[in-house]
Amino acid sequence: MSDGADVVRIPLFAIRPAIAALIPEVAERQRAVLESGAYVLGPELAEFERDFAAYIGRRHCIGVANGTEAITIALRAHDIGPGDEVVVPALSFVASAEGVVNAGAAPVFADVDPTTDCMAAATAEPLITDRTRAILPVHLFGNVAPMEELNALAESRDLLVLEDAAQAVGATYRGRHAGALGGAATFSFYPGKSLGAVGDGGAVLTDDDEVAAKVRRLRDHGASGRWMHTEVGYTSRLDDLQAAALRVFLPRLDAWIGARRRVAEAYEAAGLGDVVRLPSATPGADPAFHLYVIRTPNRDDLAARLAEIGIETRAYYTTPLHRQPSMSPWANGGARPSAERLAAEGLAIPMGQSLEPDDVEHVVDAIAAAIRGARGDEGSSPVQGRDLRTAPRRR
Ligand SMILES: Cc1ncc(COP(=O)(O)O)c(C=O)c1O
């Protein structure tokens, strides 16, 4: 990954070579769809829904237009809407809360756990009221929320657990896939997700036949037959061209997740944990590392220093949901210190199935050098014997 000036460039999402290698196969399958003329609710979508349900370990997968509408439709399919409250983590992509608002319900923002970055029973429970109908854990960055305690809490209060698994395809918890751990689950296939389409896409997963039937109606104008509409729904179908691409990528997913896990291991083995805080998995979880988010004070400084030498990073969700202008009607004054801290200190560094061992070492060396340089102790102890003063590597 070097540019014309021969400076190494390491992208945040190191996925392009893996995707590019499959373009001919995607094109061939999409061409078959184009020739069939079945572009919406056709057989390619039905095949993908079967395959993805089997992969996750759920009875039903219903493909929808995106991961945000998946949340809205899943909540509405459980008759959750106006007057109801849904507990969501205060640190996530805004869509987790938008999906709730678009269903007519009120999001209530729980702090995240300072170790796992996910909502926990201890942070959700104090927010449960007579109006609460669901809790919506987000498997943030590809880790898995502590589902055992969240399911126990939900059961004791008769609540739905809707997993927002948009970032956790391929992650497991106590041997089962994220998306098969709560009452129902939603996914996004936005490009860049570990299972990304070539445009927008999403899905709802459930074991409940009635909920599945209602999701199928809601995604298609509430239609229960030709010209018969039992509820007001949406135009929210995953289209067959996207399904065709996803069917090419799905059989590769486990290998890609395995490669991501090896990158995470390599970051640790190279000594990254000596200079910044590393992400920590929820006990029982095997994360999928959609993003690899480290934490350090002076995160913005570090990002700027890495950018100078061609290493792309990104601070995610720097404004927590309870402070988003669009969420002001649902914000209350309570403190969410762990969400605030993650928003201030988190930095996603390069991750992906196409990241090479050399790239990992280069990133770790550069982070160590930047942090020690900022502290003014350049030249002191190398990370596992490597010289931290090494200039950006050239190939
Ligand atoms: C945690 C989370 N929830 C929901 C979504 C919404 O998905 P989409 O962009 O497909 O609407 C995303 C991602 O984009 C996400 O990261």
Side-chain angles (χ1 to χ4, degrees):
M1 293 173 206
S2 77
D3 66 9
D6 210 24
V7 173
V8 175
R9 305 235 159 246
I10 303 186
L12 178 62
F13 288 92
I15 61 174
R16 280 308 301 161
I19 302 296
L22 296 172
I23 287 175
E25 210 177 311
V26 170
E28 192 182 323
R29 201 178 276 263
Q30 288 192 324
R31 185 184 177 87
V33 172
L34 290 173
E35 284 172 353
S36 76
Y39 300 160
V40 174
L41 296 179
E44 196 71 15
L45 173 62
E47 287 291 329
F48 172 70
E49 290 177 336
R50 249 192 305 275
D51 293 350
F52 193 60
Y55 175 83
I56 296 296
R58 284 287 203 193
R59 278 171 53 77
H60 304 281
C61 164
I62 305 99
V64 298
N66 55 67
T68 312
E69 289 180 359
I71 294 170
T72 300
I73 290 173
L75 290 171
R76 284 198 55 199
H78 288 86
D79 298 318
I80 294 172
D84 298 330
E85 292 177 352
V86 178
V87 181
V88 303
L91 204 95
S92 180
F93 182 52
V94 69
S96 305
E98 267 178 339
V100 174
V101 171
N102 290 340
V108 178
F109 299 109
D111 203 1
V112 294
D113 177 89
T115 309
T116 66
D117 302 337
C118 295
M119 184 164 81
T123 61
E125 185 162 23
L127 302 176
I128 294 173
T129 70
D130 291 348
R131 296 178 141 199
T132 309
R133 292 283 316 282
I135 56 179
L136 193 150
V138 177
H139 302 316
L140 199 69
F141 307 143
N143 189 16
V144 184
M147 291 301 291
E148 207 166 85
E149 62 185 51
L150 290 169
N151 281 334
L153 170 64
E155 201 175 323
S156 72
R157 308 294 284 265
D158 197 19
L159 306 173
L160 168 72
V161 179
L162 178 61
E163 300 174 74
D164 179 348
Q167 300 187 1
V169 70
T172 61
Y173 177 82
R174 306 205 192 289
R176 284 159 60 210
H177 273 127
L181 302 168
T186 60
F187 284 87
S188 164
F189 303 124
Y190 183 76
K193 296 285 192 273
S194 297
L195 180 65
V198 293
D200 281 307
V204 177
L205 280 93
T206 177
D207 289 332
D208 185 309
D209 296 351
E210 267 181 45
V211 168
K214 190 161 178 190
V215 170
R216 285 186 192 283
R217 290 197 298 277
L218 284 169
R219 74 172 171 180
D220 192 29
H221 304 285
S224 54
R226 194 177 286 274
W227 315 136
M228 187 52 64
H229 305 275
T230 37
E231 53 256 303
V232 174
Y234 308 85
T235 310
S236 188
R237 287 96 35 147
L238 178 67
D239 68 66
D240 284 60
L241 284 170
Q242 298 306 333
L246 289 166
R247 286 191 71 203
V248 172
F249 299 145
L250 182 58
R252 275 82 181 194
L253 182 63
D254 279 342
W256 289 345
I257 299 296
R260 285 171 177 272
R261 289 179 178 143
R262 285 193 293 281
V263 169
E265 282 163 16
Y267 273 137
E268 278 194 46
L272 185 58
D274 297 345
V275 284
V276 294
R277 210 185 106 183
L278 304 184
S280 11
T282 300
D286 200 357
F289 296 106
H290 165 57
L291 294 168
Y292 193 87
V293 177
I294 59 170
R295 296 216 216 163
T296 184
N298 305 326
R299 173 261 322 271
D300 296 335
D301 247 25
L302 174 62
R305 281 167 173 251
L306 295 175
E308 277 168 18
I309 55 168
I311 298 175
E312 189 187 6
T313 64
R314 192 173 301 160
Y316 274 80
Y317 318 136
T318 52
T319 301
L321 296 183
H322 60 283
R323 291 199 290 106
Q324 289 291 347
S326 68
M327 292 296 143
S328 59
W330 302 280
N332 64 40
R336 286 93 170 170
S338 299
E340 297 286 359
R341 186 136 190 229
L342 181 54
E345 296 188 348
L347 185 68
I349 65 171
M351 170 51 81
Q353 60 270 36
S354 303
L355 206 64
E356 293 167 23
D358 276 1
D359 296 328
V360 169
E361 281 203 358
H362 179 58
V363 170
V364 174
D365 287 354
I367 290 174
I371 285 181
R372 297 208 163 113
R375 281 192 211 137
D377 57 353
E378 249 154 330
S380 62
S381 64
V383 169
Q384 301 210 341
R386 290 193 307 280
D387 184 353
L388 303 182
R389 293 161 298 180
T390 317
R393 189 176 45 123
R394 288 169 196 276
R395 293 183 188 141

